[in-house]
Amino acid sequence: MTHKSNVQTIFPQFRNLVKNRFNTKIKSLYSNNGGEYIGLKNYLSVHGISHYTTAPHTPQQNSMSERRHRHLVETGLTLLADSHMPLYYWPYAFQTVAYLINRMLTATLHNQSPFEKLFNQRPNYLKLKQFGCLCYPLT
């Protein structure tokens, strides 16, 4: 998503993906009081999705998402520093970190990974390579 204003077109697509791929529906949406979610109000009510927001001027209520975001950023920067890669590879590092975190076991899910919990199958770790390793295109 390039702009926050895209949420009005992307969220309905995301809802359809969840419905079709996982055969379930979104029951609630948690957000801050960002203006980009105001336009979703009618859409959410039509589809029976509860919208919960944080209290105004209380960033403390965003602590869980802020910690997750910080974890993603710090781990991505660590990947780049460890592999001696320039910052313009940041999108790839961020994508790699999200991929890895979703495949790591967590006590919160009774020692399952988010991937395993969502797809009911163990992730395949055999294709993992060191971030920033030398590779050659196959022609």
Side-chain angles (χ1 to χ4, degrees):
M1 185 163 68
T2 54
H3 301 288
K4 289 181 180 182
S5 59
N6 294 353
V7 88
Q8 291 180 5
T9 56
I10 291 176
F11 186 80
Q13 295 170 0
F14 175 71
R15 180 189 161 271
N16 289 334
L17 173 89
V18 169
K19 182 179 171 189
N20 295 333
R21 177 81 189 239
F22 303 110
N23 199 24
T24 190
K25 65 181 221 167
I26 297 174
K27 297 176 185 172
S28 55
L29 172 68
Y30 294 89
S31 70
N32 59 8
N33 282 305
E36 61 271 15
Y37 296 101
I38 293 171
L40 281 177
K41 188 175 182 177
N42 290 336
Y43 178 85
L44 296 173
S45 65
V46 165
H47 290 92
I49 301 171
S50 301
H51 185 203
Y52 301 103
T53 60
T54 59
H57 312 294
T58 54
Q60 306 89 303
Q61 292 186 348
N62 296 336
S63 62
M64 176 66 82
S65 59
E66 294 294 335
R67 280 194 304 273
R68 292 302 278 168
H69 182 261
R70 183 176 179 178
H71 182 222
L72 284 165
V73 169
E74 288 177 350
T75 308
L77 291 173
T78 301
L79 283 179
L80 288 173
D82 186 60
S83 60
H84 307 290
M85 295 177 73
L87 276 178
Y88 57 80
Y89 285 105
W90 168 247
Y92 302 105
F94 191 83
Q95 205 171 22
T96 300
V97 169
Y99 182 90
L100 293 173
I101 288 173
N102 285 326
R103 281 153 181 79
M104 287 177 18
L105 302 180
T106 176
T108 307
L109 299 175
H110 308 292
N111 290 325
Q112 288 185 311
S113 68
F115 178 90
E116 187 175 355
K117 196 73 169 170
L118 192 58
F119 293 105
N120 294 318
Q121 66 181 20
R122 297 190 66 105
N124 181 2
Y125 299 111
L126 296 175
K127 64 182 179 177
L128 293 178
K129 303 286 185 238
Q130 181 179 350
F131 184 79
C133 67
L134 188 60
C135 63
Y136 299 96
L138 182 63
T139 57

